[in-house]
Amino acid sequence: MNALQKKCSAVSENNAVEKLPHSLVSLLPAVRQVVCGIASWAGLLGMMGIIGGMDQGTISFRVGAIRALICLVVWVISLWAGGWIK
């Protein structure tokens, strides 16, 4: 391996190290959308489950209304943070 090949391999290794943080930064929006999507589904399903429990009479109205409101807030905030609503 001559000096020019050694220099080129060193430059390509440095570029790979420099590109790594940029590639991770480009992945952050996708990770955020996945996490917020999971949280929004959990909020929606939780709210529907609580309302179903209130309908069946296994959860009292006062406790169910408070829990359903909390799930609604989680659902809306996670949709907003994920970028699906503005």
Side-chain angles (χ1 to χ4, degrees), residues 3 26 46 53 56 72 79 86:
S26 67
Q56 294 294 322
L72 176 68
L79 286 175
K86 295 182 184 203

Side-chain angles (χ1 to χ4, degrees), residues 41-54 68 71:
W41 273 107
L44 177 65
L45 291 176
M47 184 174 55
M48 290 172 33
I50 290 168
I51 292 172
M54 290 170 56
C71 287

Side-chain angles (χ1 to χ4, degrees), residues 9-41:
S9 67
V11 168
S12 66
E13 289 174 7
N14 287 339
N15 285 342
V17 171
E18 290 175 2
K19 289 182 181 179
L20 182 64
H22 296 296
S23 65
L24 292 176
V25 169
S26 67
L27 285 177
L28 287 178
V31 171
R32 184 188 66 186
Q33 283 187 337
V34 168
V35 170
C36 290
I38 292 169
S40 68
W41 273 107

